[in-house]
């Protein structure tokens, strides 16, 4: 993550999307023209993507950028599943 303030954090679902679509870090990196380690840094929140890179990643997964990236943590899938089962 760039910067020392937690408010600078950019959260993402890259690892989840890669797993869902069966894409390796190297395959994603090659498609984006970046080093495969950059994908790992992004997934771990050690590096915030430029706007251009964020848009290219969203485009790769054919999703709106706000589905892939957020300035607040995404809810865990298990929490979302629990909430929907309690609502029904």
């Amino acid at each position: 993550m760039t910067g020392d303030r937690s408010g600078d954090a950019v959260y993402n679902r890259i690892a989840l999307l890669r797993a869902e679509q069966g894409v390796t870090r190297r395959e994603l990196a090659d498609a984006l023209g970046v080093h495969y380690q950059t994908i790992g840094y992004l997934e771990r929140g050690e590096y915030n993507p430029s706007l251009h890179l964020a848009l290219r990643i969203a485009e790769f997964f054919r999703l709106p950028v706000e589905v892939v990236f957020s300035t607040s943590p995404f809810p865990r899938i298990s929490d979302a599943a629990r909430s929907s089962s309690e609502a029904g």
Side-chain angles (χ1 to χ4, degrees), residues 18-61:
R18 279 193 318 96
E20 284 180 352
Q21 296 187 18
V23 177
T24 67
R25 283 183 180 160
R26 192 172 299 274
E27 289 168 339
L28 178 58
D30 288 347
L32 298 171
V34 300
H35 195 278
Y36 75 93
Q37 288 180 325
T38 300
I39 303 303
Y41 294 141
L42 289 166
E43 290 178 349
R44 292 187 300 273
E46 295 173 8
Y47 171 72
N48 288 340
S50 66
L51 176 58
H52 185 251
L53 181 56
L55 291 169
R56 288 174 42 224
I57 292 169
E59 184 179 282
F60 176 88
F61 290 113

